[in-house]
Amino acid sequence: MTIRACLGLMILLLFSSTISTALFEDQVGLADWHQKYIGKVKHAIFHTQKTGRKRVVVSTEENVVASLDLRTGDIFWRHVLGEIDRIDQVDITLGKYVVTLSSGGSILRAWNLPDGQMIWESILQVSAPSKSLLHVPANMNVGKDNLILVFGGSSIHALSSTDGQIVWRKELSTNSLEIQQVFQPHDSDIIYALGFIGSSEFVAYYVNYKTGEVLQQSKASFKSGFCGEASLASDDVIVALDASRTYLVSISFRNGVINFQQIYIPDLIPEFFGKATLLPSKYNGILAVDIASSIVLLRVKGVNELEIIEKIIHPSAISDSLPLSKEQQAFAILQHDESRIHFKVKFDTDLTSEVLKETIQMDGQRGNVEKVFINNYIRTDRTHGFRVLVVMEDHSLLLVQQGEIVWSREDGLASIVDSTTSELPVEKEGVSVAEVEHSLFEWLKGHFLKLKGTLMLASPDEVAAIQAIRLKSFEKNKMTRDHNGFRKLIIVLTRAGKVLALHTGDGRIVWSVLLPVLRKSETCGNPFALNVYQWQVPHHHAMHENPSVLVVGRCGHNFDAPGIFSIVDAYTGKVHNSLVLEHSVRHIMPLPLTDSTEQHLHIVIDNNLHAHLYPKTSDSVKIFLDEMPNIYWYSVEVGKNIIKGYSLEIKGELDMAENVFQPKELWSIVFPSKSETIALTATRKMNEIVHTQAKIIADQDVMYKYISKNILFVATVAPKASGEIGSATPEEAWLYAYLIDTVSGRILHRVAHQGAQGPIHAVVSENWVVYHYFNLRAHRHEMSVIEIYDQSREDNKDVWKLVLGKHNLTTPISSYSKPDVTVKSQSYFFTHSVKSMAVTATAKGITSKQLLIGTIGDQVLALDKRFLDPRRSVNPTQSEKEEGIIPLTDSLPVVPQSYVTHALQVEGLRGIVTTPAKLESTTLVFSYGVDLFFTRIAPSRTYDSLTEDFSYALLLLTIVALVAALLVTWALSEKKELREKWR
Amino acid sequence: MEKGKGLARRWAVEFAENSYSSSPVDVPDPMGFSRSSSDPDDANASRQKKEAEAAWKAQKAWEVAQAPVKNLLMMGFMMWMAGSTVHLFSIGITFSALWQPISALQGVGKVKTFKVLQHSGMTMFLLAVFEPYKDPRVDTLAPKLLFIALNLAGLVLGIWKLNTLGLLPTHASDWVSSLPPASEVEYAGGGLPVH
């Protein structure tokens, strides 16, 4: 029996050496999920006039242009324009094309409204990227060739809306012109373009719509200057804010004569203080001014006569106007009242009364309303009904109609900043019997169906039912810990400061919390989220406590701005503790130490390089002081081209309440700034587990890996070649790769790649580094691998010494002992450019590794580390072949089956996170960008478990059949024997 | 082993000897019976018979002792056929090559098969295989030793095969892989400023 067990193991091991881990079509969605998002909506254009599918076209801060179903919020189509292609404006032309202006007014594209196909694209010559405006004439007749006007920089482009051809182009011959408002009086061929030159001159142009001829141009300068905001009040009056934002300047420009009138805001609004903001709106004669406490609606009666109509107390939001007829416009006001929102619609003709007033119950974790877009529909009684699209503080998108939230989208998930994972609670005893019985019956039924499927007896309906059961498996969505460690919570932090927990089974949101400390407040004007760390992971002690995560943020974008800490319960999302720190946050070091309640110790280095210990308890200080002599830190200063290493010391008495430690500089590495600039640094993951220090090579020989968590990979490039690919010639481009010990500052290895250029991506794991860059000479991307081996342990090769334990392999290593390392490296060509790189991680580190490469096509490719083995040679010997060394090729293969994301795309891919499952063979992979994608992969196949679609019923049936056959034959043989004896 | 047992005699009644030794002196021989005349003949015949038997036993013992040679040759051939890569066939053969000598040396049951005998001053295991040939006149020591030696050779062959397959921990690599990586004394964190 033992032999058989051994054989079974061997066979499994043999199977595990196969490379490809592809997926069958019916396995899609079993272990993976994919969620599509669009990001925080900036503009929204409704398209509801025609019969058929009602939709809303939106553009977002993630540079997505999308068409959403107005009934359900589903995405009809979507395009992600990329990080550098910022969308400035979006509109609909000819009733069938969506026009987007992007990249600072230099790219204009038209997309087909029903299916999102690109119709045309025009690149516009813009002197300098600046605020740009898109003007699509409203009264378009289909017969005419309609022009789209783009105001950007100092020029106007007119493009044909049917094919994107530039019909005319006019340079307005001024350098720093910024067009603020463009409008076209009804039924006229003249376009009014109003803007500022510099900060103090107002200019009005009258341009012929057909030819681009400037009919009239008038300028006037205003001595106290403008702040750059203006709002059109009527056909001949525009209201601007002066540079100090305390005066409203109404400018009349009738017939080319410009007049300025200043109005001091406190005269108008007595409670005003601070700075005002003009809300961009296009109302007839109405102006919306945002002052700190409220939004004030003003009616412009004349050039110098403004009248307060209404004050809307914050938090509130106001929509653009919606023209209902030539005279009448409607706009929406949303105002918070604790957990409710009052939704009001008013006509500009009658501001005192409300056309519509509804109250909506709102989830408290969505924050305040940020933006409102209004749309109308005709009710059956021919009156106007209104619906609004609401963008909330957490970037979620809601559609409100008839006092209800029709649908909502959690679009904050398109801008994940950081993520971590948490275990689910342990399954408790005392599950109700009824549920078990029910599930037992379901289980039997499911397995019976599966059996039928295996035996090819199932009807198509049943096949569909089997697939549905597999997809909606009750097992994978449970809220408890499972044996294999597949079920976990992914805790993500979004840019809006919201923390969400996603279940790995199906990606649903288990809880979400908009952290109060990461919201705008008086103490912290511009907070933003930085990172999320494991704070408390109960293992042995404190088992009754829930795990918690630490969210770190910062008030403002300067490095000296105070930091923000918030501790959130990982099971419930309850905020345990949150505080604005008294110091800044420059580095955060989670230490490999825990206190008695299993809280992880963290060192926060502030901008003055002082170290602060958290949690601030005497217990943690005691634990930390024991370990302090062995704790070091380093700082990479990209701008100065310096890496500095420090240790911690106590100057004078340690203040037990503050726990502040001083830095002591130990070493520094200064890169010659003439020839090198730091392009990238990479380190090993702190929680990575390595199973063995030995690498067994051909002929049972051993090489000892240099495994150190204190290895820093630094890549520097030539300053000339730090730009885009192609900006430097191969002669003036080079790349240096360094391996640095961060404790002692010793450079362990340095290698130069001539003619190589960034962007560089690197991943460090165990004793190797893989980095990706562009080779200018070969005009191809390259991937290099460096493996580091420890020579000082090389002597440990005597079997008897090892058997008797007389070796130094398990004695702790110090970075200060003399390192004696050898390095093996190799470079390979790689087809794709890379967006992100990661490496698989397993629970014990036994399973072979795969690199996960986020390709330019927003997919995740799994590449076996074996392909990146520096010991590959053209003709491997027999023993090397047995070891699994692949013959050398110049380029790395891209096997289509090894895409982890199979047919899907993770649009705008930014990060790939791997987490080990409890099952050694399996890694959980979470990749995020605009979309989210989760799956689990087994780099060497699931050698330690049966596959999910293993038919237990068939096994049971086989066993039963075998036992029955055994009994029958036994009875028969007994009978026969008896007969023989009687004979 | 069964065969050996079957061939050998299980029991014997020695009428002649019995009568000879137990015949009381007081009972006179019948008339015309001459003990001295008939005795040498009978004794001679039985001695001859016994000697033949002993020779036969010795021969058989040698045969049994040499039996593993055939086995050994066959195993060697099979091993050569199996090659030196680890797969089902080679492992099966190797394990059977290991198992056969062990089981042969062990016999069937421990208590029955092993007997400690005082033989020419040294303690010696008596193998069950040679039980039938036990005879004071037959020296089974040499065949026994040969049998043991041949089986041990078979075992060595099996172990050598196991080693060529790489299944024996004879290399440093076999001992090192199970050792955990050494822990590090120092810890360093930091990096780029968080942004």
Side-chain angles (χ1 to χ4, degrees):
Chain A
M1 205 56 220
T2 46
I3 298 169
R4 205 158 300 160
C6 264
L7 287 182
L9 192 75
M10 290 292 160
I11 292 162
L12 283 173
L13 282 175
L14 285 175
F15 270 121
S16 69
S17 61
T18 43
I19 305 159
S20 150
T21 50
L23 212 62
F24 286 105
E25 197 181 349
D26 63 340
Q27 288 173 323
V28 168
L30 281 186
D32 56 320
W33 47 263
H34 180 232
Q35 292 175 356
K36 287 178 171 183
Y37 293 102
I38 51 174
K40 187 187 182 185
V41 169
K42 280 198 291 193
H43 309 281
I45 311 281
F46 291 88
H47 188 259
T48 51
Q49 286 85 6
K50 283 188 182 163
T51 51
R53 292 202 282 197
K54 299 202 185 323
R55 59 188 86 216
V56 56
V57 177
V58 294
S59 75
T60 71
E61 308 227 318
E62 302 296 322
N63 303 329
V64 178
V65 54
S67 166
L68 304 178
D69 189 338
L70 207 52
R71 282 182 216 286
T72 60
D74 293 338
I75 298 168
F76 280 135
W77 54 263
R78 174 182 69 149
H79 294 288
V80 182
L81 297 191
E83 224 161 281
I84 48 163
D85 201 4
R86 238 183 106 72
I87 298 176
D88 301 316
Q89 226 173 331
V90 62
D91 213 333
I92 291 179
T93 177
L94 299 175
K96 59 181 181 181
Y97 295 158
V98 176
V99 184
T100 58
L101 182 66
S102 59
S103 283
S106 60
I107 302 174
L108 191 67
R109 295 188 183 94
W111 317 87
N112 196 12
L113 185 57
D115 58 4
Q117 299 272 347
M118 188 156 83
I119 304 294
W120 50 258
E121 179 183 47
S122 279
I123 312 289
L124 310 176
Q125 296 296 321
V126 179
S127 51
S130 64
K131 188 184 172 184
S132 53
L133 276 175
L134 177 70
H135 178 71
V136 178
N139 50 344
M140 286 253 199
N141 300 325
V142 182
K144 273 201 295 189
D145 185 19
N146 294 293
L147 298 181
I148 299 170
L149 300 189
V150 177
F151 297 80
S154 54
S155 55
I156 311 174
H157 289 85
L159 296 99
S160 158
S161 53
T162 48
D163 56 3
Q165 290 296 317
I166 297 173
V167 177
W168 54 260
R169 178 172 187 274
K170 188 80 199 167
E171 195 75 32
L172 293 175
S173 70
T174 327
N175 288 329
S176 58
L177 172 72
E178 202 164 273
I179 297 289
Q180 288 294 329
Q181 293 286 339
V182 174
F183 72 101
Q184 188 175 16
H186 294 294
D187 304 324
S188 90
D189 271 354
I190 298 166
I191 302 284
Y192 290 35
L194 314 169
F196 300 115
I197 298 170
S199 61
S200 62
E201 207 169 2
F202 174 78
V203 64
Y205 294 101
Y206 300 79
V207 184
N208 188 318
Y209 173 63
K210 291 271 158 64
T211 61
E213 189 190 345
V214 178
L215 302 171
Q216 196 180 359
Q217 162 178 357
S218 45
K219 280 184 205 170
S221 66
F222 178 70
K223 57 182 183 304
S224 52
F226 299 105
C227 76
E229 282 174 18
S231 179
L232 195 69
S234 67
D235 277 1
D236 50 9
V237 176
I238 186 166
V239 180
L241 270 174
D242 80 333
S244 66
R245 288 179 185 266
T246 47
Y247 282 91
L248 284 173
V249 186
S250 79
I251 309 159
S252 76
F253 50 93
R254 189 190 297 266
N255 304 325
V257 183
I258 297 173
N259 274 317
F260 296 113
Q261 287 289 332
Q262 281 188 64
I263 301 141
Y264 187 48
I265 300 176
D267 289 346
L268 203 66
I269 313 158
E271 67 267 32
F272 170 79
F273 69 94
K275 284 173 177 174
T277 315
L278 277 179
L279 292 177
S281 53
K282 287 175 190 163
Y283 311 129
N284 279 337
I286 297 172
L287 196 68
V289 185
D290 191 355
I291 61 171
S293 60
S294 55
I295 296 172
V296 181
L297 289 180
L298 301 167
R299 185 184 288 284
V300 183
K301 283 191 165 170
V303 175
N304 57 354
E305 212 184 334
L306 294 173
E307 179 193 38
I308 297 178
I309 313 165
E310 194 173 351
K311 279 182 206 160
I312 308 152
I313 306 294
H314 270 312
S316 57
I318 186 164
S319 78
D320 264 0
S321 63
L322 173 79
L324 297 174
S325 62
K326 264 190 182 167
E327 301 85 41
Q328 208 172 33
Q329 287 182 316
F331 62 94
I333 299 163
L334 262 72
Q335 199 172 4
H336 278 266
D337 176 15
E338 285 169 2
S339 69
R340 285 166 302 179
I341 289 179
H342 298 297
F343 165 39
K344 290 179 250 178
V345 176
K346 289 186 180 191
F347 290 140
D348 63 343
T349 45
D350 178 20
L351 286 159
T352 49
S353 66
E354 283 139 11
V355 185
L356 185 78
K357 192 174 176 183
E358 288 166 357
T359 304
I360 313 145
Q361 202 65 35
M362 189 61 83
D363 173 13
Q365 300 304 343
R366 292 195 189 277
N368 294 339
V369 175
E370 294 230 324
K371 275 200 171 97
V372 188
F373 302 96
I374 187 168
N375 178 238
N376 68 322
Y377 57 94
I378 309 291
R379 291 207 192 97
T380 41
D381 59 354
R382 296 198 160 267
T383 56
H384 285 291
F386 295 94
R387 56 169 90 91
V388 280
L389 197 64
V390 185
V391 182
M392 302 298 291
E393 198 178 340
D394 67 340
H395 300 184
S396 60
L397 188 67
L398 317 167
L399 185 83
V400 174
Q401 190 171 335
Q402 291 170 339
E404 265 179 62
I405 298 170
V406 182
W407 50 260
S408 65
R409 294 180 56 88
E410 198 68 52
D411 274 309
L413 284 172
S415 52
I416 290 176
V417 177
D418 196 12
S419 78
T420 184
T421 52
S422 163
E423 294 286 347
L424 281 160
V426 183
E427 193 153 4
K428 294 230 169 55
E429 280 175 33
V431 185
S432 77
V433 183
E435 197 179 13
V436 171
E437 273 175 356
H438 171 74
S439 67
L440 187 72
F441 177 69
E442 289 285 302
W443 186 86
L444 272 177
K445 205 171 120 190
H447 276 290
F448 180 68
L449 271 176
K450 245 189 208 176
L451 179 67
K452 266 181 131 178
T454 328
L455 298 175
M456 310 270 184
L457 294 172
S459 65
D461 284 350
E462 280 169 336
V463 171
I466 294 168
Q467 188 66 9
I469 288 172
R470 291 170 76 189
L471 288 177
K472 273 187 260 158
S473 158
F474 167 71
E475 270 297 308
K476 74 173 188 186
N477 298 338
K478 263 190 189 171
M479 272 304 293
T480 51
R481 215 173 281 188
D482 66 332
H483 188 66
N484 291 334
F486 292 162
R487 292 199 296 260
K488 279 186 201 307
L489 288 177
I490 304 171
I491 294 169
V492 297
L493 176 65
T494 68
R495 196 174 298 150
K498 196 174 190 180
V499 182
L500 300 103
L502 308 174
H503 194 286
T504 55
D506 53 359
R508 69 177 186 275
I509 295 165
V510 177
W511 53 260
S512 64
V513 56
L514 187 66
L515 291 179
V517 278
L518 287 175
R519 292 176 68 179
K520 244 177 221 179
S521 64
E522 277 171 27
T523 50
C524 188
N526 193 10
F528 70 106
L530 288 173
N531 288 96
V532 53
Y533 298 91
Q534 303 269 9
W535 178 253
Q536 191 178 19
V537 186
H539 275 300
H540 309 294
H541 319 290
M543 266 311 264
H544 57 280
E545 274 181 64
N546 292 355
S548 50
V549 293
L550 168 71
V551 179
V552 180
R554 185 185 285 152
C555 283
H557 288 267
N558 296 330
F559 279 120
D560 52 2
I564 297 168
F565 264 31
S566 193
I567 293 162
V568 182
D569 188 313
Y571 290 169
T572 60
K574 206 175 134 238
V575 180
H576 284 319
N577 192 4
S578 58
L579 64 156
V580 177
L581 305 177
E582 282 162 11
H583 53 83
S584 55
V585 176
R586 187 185 160 95
H587 300 285
I588 307 150
M589 291 161 54
L591 299 179
L593 304 169
T594 52
D595 69 359
S596 56
T597 54
E598 304 252 350
Q599 290 183 347
H600 284 272
L601 265 57
H602 287 71
I603 284 279
V604 178
I605 311 282
D606 68 14
N607 217 29
N608 303 324
L609 306 184
H610 293 303
H612 305 259
L613 177 69
Y614 289 90
K616 285 187 172 182
T617 57
S618 57
D619 181 29
S620 66
V621 174
K622 220 165 67 194
I623 293 165
F624 176 73
L625 286 179
D626 288 343
E627 282 295 319
M628 200 179 81
N630 290 328
I631 289 169
Y632 298 82
W633 65 277
Y634 65 97
S635 172
V636 181
E637 286 159 36
V638 174
K640 292 182 194 161
N641 266 335
I642 294 176
I643 301 175
K644 279 182 181 171
Y646 303 88
S647 69
L648 299 169
E649 62 177 1
I650 306 165
K651 277 206 179 119
E653 275 295 290
L654 177 68
D655 185 358
M656 286 307 252
E658 286 299 319
N659 304 337
V660 183
F661 303 91
Q662 269 70 37
K664 183 176 155 193
E665 194 179 322
L666 296 178
W667 53 268
S668 61
I669 297 170
V670 184
F671 297 99
S673 52
K674 266 188 185 169
S675 59
E676 295 176 44
T677 52
I678 297 173
L680 171 110
T681 64
T683 53
R684 265 178 70 187
K685 262 207 253 172
M686 275 303 145
N687 52 4
E688 190 186 55
I689 289 160
V690 180
H691 176 247
T692 177
Q693 56 183 319
K695 176 162 177 132
I696 292 132
I697 53 173
D699 298 328
Q700 307 288 308
D701 209 351
V702 183
M703 289 174 84
Y704 291 96
K705 301 173 187 172
Y706 183 82
I707 300 166
S708 170
K709 292 218 159 148
N710 303 329
I711 281 188
L712 173 72
F713 170 80
V714 180
T716 62
V717 292
K720 269 192 181 173
S722 54
E724 279 177 39
I725 292 170
S727 60
T729 60
E731 286 71 35
E732 56 192 18
W734 53 81
L735 184 157
Y736 290 105
Y738 292 83
L739 290 170
I740 296 167
D741 187 297
T742 50
V743 172
S744 60
R746 193 176 270 127
I747 296 173
L748 298 169
H749 183 63
R750 175 181 190 261
V751 65
H753 296 273
Q754 291 297 330
Q757 195 184 13
I760 306 164
H761 295 272
V763 60
V764 186
S765 171
E766 289 195 10
N767 67 324
W768 50 264
V769 186
V770 170
Y771 50 103
H772 177 273
Y773 52 89
F774 190 78
N775 186 335
L776 285 167
R777 281 181 216 271
H779 304 286
R780 289 166 90 172
H781 287 284
E782 249 179 34
M783 263 173 133
S784 282
V785 57
I786 302 176
E787 288 188 0
I788 324 152
Y789 293 97
D790 194 347
Q791 284 295 96
S792 61
R793 314 193 141 216
E794 205 75 333
D795 311 329
N796 295 303
K797 280 189 178 164
D798 192 339
V799 181
W800 290 109
K801 275 190 181 171
L802 289 168
V803 174
L804 298 170
K806 290 192 172 162
H807 55 81
N808 63 348
L809 293 175
T810 45
T811 46
I813 327 169
S814 165
S815 290
Y816 286 110
S817 61
K818 188 173 155 275
D820 185 10
V821 295
T822 52
V823 157
K824 288 179 183 291
S825 55
Q826 184 65 272
S827 297
Y828 301 95
F829 289 127
F830 187 65
T831 326
H832 292 291
S833 60
V834 165
K835 278 189 166 177
S836 175
M837 261 213 292
V839 65
T840 57
T842 54
K844 299 267 188 306
I846 299 170
T847 311
S848 63
K849 304 242 168 196
Q850 275 184 339
L851 285 172
L852 298 173
I853 298 163
T855 64
I856 198 74
D858 292 322
Q859 289 197 302
V860 179
L861 177 75
L863 182 72
D864 244 54
K865 170 65 179 53
R866 289 199 296 155
F867 288 109
L868 281 153
D869 192 332
R871 292 172 55 240
R872 281 174 70 181
S873 56
V874 182
N875 286 313
T877 60
Q878 186 59 37
S879 52
E880 279 178 336
K881 268 186 201 160
E882 270 172 36
E883 189 197 330
I885 285 186
I886 304 160
L888 185 72
T889 47
D890 64 342
S891 59
L892 297 169
V894 175
V895 187
Q897 286 94 328
S898 59
Y899 279 105
V900 172
T901 45
H902 43 90
L904 302 168
Q905 276 183 310
V906 189
E907 293 282 5
L909 182 69
R910 282 199 313 271
I912 303 168
V913 183
T914 56
T915 317
K918 233 184 251 169
L919 201 64
E920 169 55 29
S921 63
T922 313
T923 304
L924 309 179
V925 179
F926 176 60
S927 50
Y928 58 86
V930 174
D931 291 354
L932 309 182
F933 179 79
F934 172 87
T935 190
R936 52 170 193 259
I937 59 169
S940 305
R941 295 240 188 141
T942 47
Y943 56 83
D944 49 2
S945 74
L946 294 168
T947 52
E948 202 132 283
D949 44 352
F950 181 82
S951 180
Y952 289 94
L954 190 65
L955 179 73
L956 209 70
L957 202 77
T958 317
I959 290 169
V960 167
L962 276 174
V963 168
L966 207 69
L967 287 174
V968 167
T969 47
W970 179 72
L972 283 176
S973 79
E974 284 282 292
K975 226 183 226 175
K976 200 180 169 193
E977 214 166 282
L978 197 66
R979 226 182 293 140
E980 291 275 307
K981 278 181 180 165
W982 275 109
R983 196 173 281 170
Chain B
M1 285 163 261
E2 288 290 320
K3 215 163 96 188
K5 267 184 191 167
L7 282 170
R9 226 168 37 184
R10 284 180 198 228
W11 54 269
V13 182
E14 302 272 347
F15 288 106
E17 217 164 316
N18 217 10
S19 63
Y20 182 78
S21 62
S22 66
S23 69
V25 187
D26 52 322
V27 179
D29 284 340
M31 294 294 283
F33 175 75
S34 161
R35 190 181 289 267
S36 57
S37 66
S38 67
D39 232 1
D41 270 12
D42 266 11
N44 224 3
S46 78
R47 199 188 304 129
Q48 269 180 1
K49 214 167 140 194
K50 273 178 192 166
E51 264 166 20
E53 199 167 273
W56 177 80
K57 274 185 180 173
Q59 192 199 336
K60 277 286 163 191
W62 279 111
E63 263 175 40
V64 169
Q66 282 163 0
V69 172
K70 265 190 282 174
N71 234 333
L72 215 61
L73 289 174
M74 200 183 74
M75 250 24 268
F77 177 69
M78 294 276 272
M79 279 174 186
W80 176 70
M81 289 289 284
S84 63
T85 49
V86 179
H87 52 81
L88 200 67
F89 192 58
S90 64
I91 287 175
I93 282 170
T94 312
F95 275 91
S96 79
L98 283 171
W99 185 245
Q100 268 184 3
I102 290 171
S103 67
L105 287 173
Q106 246 186 0
V108 188
K110 272 187 180 171
V111 186
K112 265 189 187 173
T113 52
F114 282 91
K115 277 187 184 171
V116 182
L117 270 192
Q118 287 300 119
H119 196 291
S120 58
M122 70 182 243
T123 312
M124 172 83 203
F125 284 92
L126 178 71
L127 292 152
V129 191
F130 293 99
E131 185 92 348
Y133 319 121
K134 196 182 84 181
D135 201 300
R137 270 168 294 182
V138 179
D139 183 22
T140 51
L141 179 66
K144 270 181 215 161
L145 286 178
L146 181 71
F147 184 78
I148 290 168
L150 284 173
N151 273 316
L152 283 179
L155 200 65
V156 166
L157 189 73
I159 289 169
W160 170 80
K161 184 69 193 172
L162 210 59
N163 192 30
T164 53
L165 289 179
L167 298 177
L168 282 186
T170 52
H171 292 96
S173 53
D174 301 314
W175 296 90
V176 170
S177 340
S178 57
L179 293 175
S183 58
E184 270 180 288
V185 178
E186 291 96 355
Y187 172 86
L192 290 167
V194 284
H195 57 88

